[in-house]
Amino acid sequence: MANRSGAAQRPNGTQGKICQFKLVLLGESAVGKSSLVLRFVKGQFHEYQESTIGAAFLTQTVCLDDTTVKFEIWDTAGQERYHSLAPMYYRGAQAAIVVYDITNQDTFGRAKTWVKELQRQASPTIVIALAGNKQDLANKRMVEFEEAQTYADENGLLFMETSAKTALNVNDIFLAIAKKLPKYDQNQGQSGQGQGRRLAEGDQGAKTPGNCCK
Amino acid sequence: MDYDLPTGFDLIIVGTGVVESIISAAASRIGKRVLQVDTNNYYGGHWASFNLEDIQNLKQENNIDLGKQFPKNLSNEEDFIPLGNKLKCFPYFETEWHIAEEDSIDVLKIKQENLNGKENVVLDEGDKSKLDNDKKEHDDCADKEEDESVVQGEIEEAKEVEQNLNVSTQELLKKDYRKFVIDLCPKLHFARGNFVELLISSNIARYAEFRSVSRVLTWINGNIEVVPCSRSDVFANNKVSVVEKRMLMKLLTSIEEEEKSATVPQNTTFKDFLKNKKLSSNIIHFVLYALSMSNDETIWLEGMKRTKRFLGSLGRFGKTPFLFSMYGSGEITQAFCRLSAVFGGVFALNQQLHGIVLNKENRFESLKCGKQNITASHIVMSVGAAPVSFFKNPTSSLISRAVLITDKSLMDSEQEHMTLLLYPAGNKLITILELGHLTGTCPKNVFLIHITTEGSSNPKEDLEGCVKNLFAFGEQDSNPRKPKVLWSSYFSIPNTNELDLKSSVPSNVFLCPGPDLDLDYDFSLEKAREIFLSIYPDAEFLPRAPDADEIVIGEDPETATEVRASNSNLDISKDTEKSVEEERAIEQSSETELAIEARASCSELDTPSETDNTTKDALKEVEECAEAKENMQ
């Protein structure tokens, strides 16, 4: 996955930079991974989100000063359920959100396992955020905020408690990641480091400049 | 196992090889309930990729008794058939290091200094000669280092030396073990081949990234030469004479008409056919072994077909007709599996598969997986998972493979190439792929070599001559141009594409062949399509999956935060929510699980809003500008 970037003319006439990043979601089933994405990308929340649903990937753009950050957000598509997530999923991901459910201690333990897995499998420069989801159910809390914060600090993770239902911190966590990601300018994008080619209809071979992390 | 799998499916797929995974994706795509399971804890079976550590463990795994992977169930049912046969194993598997395990103290000391970021790297004579011994071809670096007076330069040199030293011991290569992606069965894709067309038309291409093979080489008269692939290549090549250039151009441009008009006996070999054209031996070699990838026995019509396949894929992506999937060919099976999962397919690796139960009509009824009995109307399985009784004669020919890690390219060049080398060896053709770190399959400063040919004895014997001609082991070889082998692995894989996979098999059971010798996935793709259409004769095979852009409500980057802020107000999104809920009700009644992208694109169509469109346009504009800029560069 490339961090494709290029100078662009914005609608209002100013020059800006567009960076694209692959972001993967991880976490136990039913902690609200898909809900977080749906909230972030489409501003929606469904109380009875089907557990099987998963998109190829969704995209959403956030704006930071002179940079437009486009997230390509990959959901697990249920492959995590029987511990069968393919290594391809992590490939080239520049950011990850590891989600747990604050009302379920097991999911926090599992989140730690995912963080380890990322540190083992993913790019060493990956930006990892930990999201304690379902903050709207804080009265049934089983994972203390401080406990998670300490863990996140120790492991260099961004941390927020979120609620896909009330939208608390959803945009914020993506923004925080966007801020932490390195924004290469297009010159660096041309460095030839691991850039891959995306195939598309009618593609006669235009090369996508990119800077692939590996 | 701490979980139970669902138990009722339309289709069960045992194995995660290429053919199985394509079928899985195609079936999930048309809304079938698919379960795909594997006894391994990794994807791909004989098509898998491993890092440097895991491939060495594979050797041991291969020694595990088949009975343990497919334990016999103590079932009393007469119609219970245990799964698994010897085609699942590697008939031969070995790995070997060709470099010292650890650094000597001297080298370690230098490296330590470099790591500490010392500005002046002073190599005393002793250390320097040690370096020279370790890496003859890096003499240049050491010399430069002495002369260089600029501090910055020295630091860079120091880093370089450090990196160069990195490849010299097992310890240091092992440190980078995760950067290796070693394919059991590496494949290239013809730029206009059926497989690439499918990747594009089905939209699976978006899961993967590719690199173009940047040069095609061949072994001719004891040397490595560049094969001219295109008009400009032909003219740039100084090894081909002007007369030869004209001959080759004539042949390349006229090959289409040749096929129709030529009145050549059917059993003429392609070699003789080319000889009759009065072509020079150089040109015959290029066309026969490189462009058509034939051997001495290939008949002319087949040779023509292959030449056309090669030429037809030129000029689409890069200088050669070939693409390679970044991070290895193992990504391809995973991409199909992911598409299957996105459309509701259930995946479970590391499963204990005992056997299958057939009913009285000799039809598949259920799969015994762990403690569960899982039913489906059809089952597809990899050839290695199939019960022995499903074959008349479960012996196969073999594919001989070697994987080497080397310290430099077969043909040095300023830029890093991705190379295909075609090495004729009598009536066999050996294909060699050289991958550098830009393919995402190995660390910097080393190359990964994949050698593949038709197996006759053990792979080491099959490939011995070729490997010795091209590579050096240890300090014995006097030719300093040859890449030095740091690590090697030899193995063979059953080639099952000529096995009878149909006649002894129940009518709702389908067996998928494993890897074959084709450069591309054409054979696998055809098999997958054939099996899919046998099960679902009227269904469309892998129609285009929707794009992310087709689902996402575009937002003006300038006001993104504000728009989302208002979105977070639940009242506003209620209407959309309702329509989605209704949709879900419809879906549930039809028992079809649609993937989110399809659903989302529907709801987007249902509730179009003006802001969405304008912002989408704005975003598109931004992207177009970016694209235009990229093209200019």
Side-chain angles (χ1 to χ4, degrees), chain B residues 103-118 120-132 134 145 157-162 165:
Chain B
D103 281 338
S104 67
I105 293 157
D106 287 353
V107 182
L108 266 180
K109 205 175 86 193
I110 307 168
K111 210 151 38 197
Q112 201 52 49
E113 283 171 0
N114 293 342
L115 284 173
N116 292 344
K118 287 205 174 174
N120 291 304
V121 182
V122 185
L123 299 172
D124 67 40
E125 266 327 291
D127 284 340
K128 197 164 166 283
S129 63
K130 172 77 189 132
L131 260 182
D132 290 349
D134 266 5
E145 213 157 60
E157 288 301 327
K159 276 183 191 159
E160 204 174 307
V161 170
E162 208 269 317
L165 285 172

Side-chain angles (χ1 to χ4, degrees), chain B residues 52-69:
Chain B
L52 191 54
E53 192 176 285
D54 290 342
I55 197 160
Q56 296 182 88
N57 296 335
L58 195 66
K59 191 179 162 185
Q60 287 153 10
E61 197 177 304
N62 192 42
N63 293 334
I64 292 175
D65 178 25
L66 253 186
K68 274 185 194 160
Q69 282 196 40

Side-chain angles (χ1 to χ4, degrees), chain B residues 515-585:
Chain B
D516 54 76
L517 281 163
D518 190 47
L519 200 64
D520 200 347
Y521 285 117
D522 286 24
F523 179 78
S524 307
L525 174 57
E526 267 334 292
K527 283 290 159 191
R529 195 194 305 263
E530 192 186 304
I531 292 172
F532 174 78
L533 292 174
S534 308
I535 306 174
Y536 308 113
D538 302 317
E540 193 180 348
F541 180 70
L542 286 168
R544 183 175 177 279
D547 257 327
D549 296 349
E550 290 160 7
I551 6 168
V552 174
I553 300 168
E555 287 177 4
D556 185 347
E558 292 295 84
T559 55
T561 343
E562 288 155 45
V563 174
R564 273 201 311 280
S566 67
N567 270 345
S568 59
N569 183 329
L570 277 171
D571 290 329
I572 290 177
S573 55
K574 242 181 188 166
D575 284 352
T576 346
E577 214 178 310
K578 202 178 158 193
S579 75
V580 173
E581 261 168 30
E582 281 166 9
E583 233 174 78
R584 191 185 302 136

Side-chain angles (χ1 to χ4, degrees), chain B residues 428-448:
Chain B
K428 277 196 230 168
L429 186 72
I430 301 174
T431 50
I432 299 158
L433 278 178
E434 182 184 81
L435 311 174
H437 89 288
L438 291 178
T439 61
T441 60
C442 66
K444 267 188 177 171
N445 298 318
V446 295
F447 288 86
L448 193 59

Side-chain angles (χ1 to χ4, degrees), chain B residues 32-209:
Chain B
K32 300 297 172 188
R33 290 165 305 163
V34 175
L35 170 69
Q36 193 168 1
V37 288
D38 201 315
T39 53
N40 297 323
N41 61 358
Y42 52 84
Y43 281 89
H46 277 172
W47 311 81
S49 309
F50 299 93
N51 65 37
L52 191 54
E53 192 176 285
D54 290 342
I55 197 160
Q56 296 182 88
N57 296 335
L58 195 66
K59 191 179 162 185
Q60 287 153 10
E61 197 177 304
N62 192 42
N63 293 334
I64 292 175
D65 178 25
L66 253 186
K68 274 185 194 160
Q69 282 196 40
F70 296 100
K72 286 207 170 134
N73 196 303
L74 299 169
S75 165
N76 294 323
E77 295 162 77
E78 278 174 26
D79 42 11
F80 173 83
I81 307 174
L83 285 180
N85 65 74
K86 64 177 184 178
L87 292 172
K88 191 185 159 65
C89 297
F90 299 95
Y92 186 100
F93 203 105
E94 64 149 73
T95 63
E96 193 185 343
W97 285 100
H98 302 278
I99 43 172
E101 213 164 296
E102 281 177 11
D103 281 338
S104 67
I105 293 157
D106 287 353
V107 182
L108 266 180
K109 205 175 86 193
I110 307 168
K111 210 151 38 197
Q112 201 52 49
E113 283 171 0
N114 293 342
L115 284 173
N116 292 344
K118 287 205 174 174
E119 289 181 355
N120 291 304
V121 182
V122 185
L123 299 172
D124 67 40
E125 266 327 291
D127 284 340
K128 197 164 166 283
S129 63
K130 172 77 189 132
L131 260 182
D132 290 349
N133 285 337
D134 266 5
K135 298 242 131 273
K136 277 185 179 137
E137 61 278 16
H138 293 128
D139 277 354
D140 283 357
C141 296
D143 289 340
K144 255 191 237 160
E145 213 157 60
E146 229 168 24
D147 303 334
E148 205 81 66
S149 58
V150 186
V151 172
Q152 188 56 39
E154 280 190 9
I155 293 171
E156 274 166 24
E157 288 301 327
K159 276 183 191 159
E160 204 174 307
V161 170
E162 208 269 317
Q163 280 176 341
N164 290 339
L165 285 172
N166 261 349
V167 303
S168 65
T169 68
Q170 291 180 29
E171 198 192 359
L172 290 158
L173 267 186
K174 280 176 185 165
K175 215 174 67 187
D176 264 344
Y177 75 96
R178 282 212 296 117
K179 289 187 179 163
F180 288 95
V181 182
I182 299 173
D183 287 322
L184 293 181
C185 184
K187 292 282 184 186
L188 293 181
H189 315 298
F190 282 91
R192 280 182 220 279
N194 294 339
F195 189 72
V196 164
E197 296 301 348
L198 175 81
L199 286 181
I200 295 171
S201 67
S202 64
N203 220 346
I204 292 169
R206 69 196 153 153
Y207 294 132
E209 282 180 273

Side-chain angles (χ1 to χ4, degrees), chain A residues 1-2 4-12 14-15 18 38-50 52-63 68 70 72 74-79 81-89 91-92 118-124 165-167 171 175 186-187 190 192-209 212-214, chain B residues 2-6 43 177-179 181 192 196 199-201 205-212 315-318 323 326-327 331 334-335 337-338 341-349 351 437-438 440 444 544 546 548-549 551-553 555-558 560-561 564-565 567-570 573 576-577 580 584 587-588 593-597 599-600 603-604 618-619 621-623 625-626 629-631 633:
Chain A
M1 186 58 48
R4 277 172 228 104
S5 57
Q9 191 75 29
R10 296 221 193 167
N12 66 3
T14 58
Q15 282 283 322
I18 297 180
L38 270 193
R39 168 59 76 190
F40 174 59
V41 174
K42 297 173 84 66
Q44 295 170 353
F45 177 75
H46 309 134
E47 190 79 53
Y48 302 102
Q49 183 80 62
E50 281 175 53
T52 52
I53 92 171
F57 46 78
L58 294 170
T59 56
Q60 178 62 296
T61 307
V62 297
C63 224
T68 305
K70 191 175 176 190
E72 199 176 276
W74 290 49
D75 203 347
T76 53
Q79 280 179 304
R81 209 168 321 136
Y82 308 110
H83 313 300
S84 304
L85 205 57
M88 175 204 133
Y89 186 70
R91 213 65 95 181
L118 278 169
Q119 286 163 345
R120 206 172 64 84
Q121 297 256 16
S123 150
K165 188 171 181 175
T166 67
N171 294 338
L175 265 170
Q186 68 267 29
N187 297 327
Q190 289 284 331
Q193 164 85 10
Q195 51 181 258
R197 188 192 289 282
R198 284 290 185 96
L199 309 183
E201 249 164 300
D203 191 342
Q204 292 300 313
K207 208 169 190 178
T208 327
C212 221
C213 303
K214 170 62 204 171
Chain B
D2 55 347
Y3 52 78
D4 277 337
L5 295 168
Y43 281 89
Y177 75 96
R178 282 212 296 117
K179 289 187 179 163
V181 182
R192 280 182 220 279
V196 164
L199 286 181
I200 295 171
S201 67
R206 69 196 153 153
Y207 294 132
E209 282 180 273
F210 297 85
R211 288 198 76 84
S212 303
R316 188 179 198 184
F317 306 110
L323 291 169
M326 280 195 75
Y327 312 114
E331 297 288 289
Q334 294 173 35
C337 289
R338 178 159 169 84
V342 163
F343 283 90
V346 176
F347 284 78
L349 302 178
Q351 297 298 304
H437 89 288
L438 291 178
K444 267 188 177 171
R544 183 175 177 279
D549 296 349
I551 6 168
V552 174
I553 300 168
E555 287 177 4
D556 185 347
E558 292 295 84
T561 343
R564 273 201 311 280
N567 270 345
S568 59
N569 183 329
L570 277 171
S573 55
T576 346
E577 214 178 310
V580 173
R584 191 185 302 136
E587 265 172 45
Q588 278 170 348
E593 288 176 2
L594 280 178
I596 182 177
E597 45 208 321
R599 186 182 316 129
S603 64
E604 195 190 329
L619 198 68
E621 206 175 301
V622 172
E623 279 172 357
C625 289
K629 185 88 181 195
E630 279 166 14
N631 289 340
Q633 288 161 351

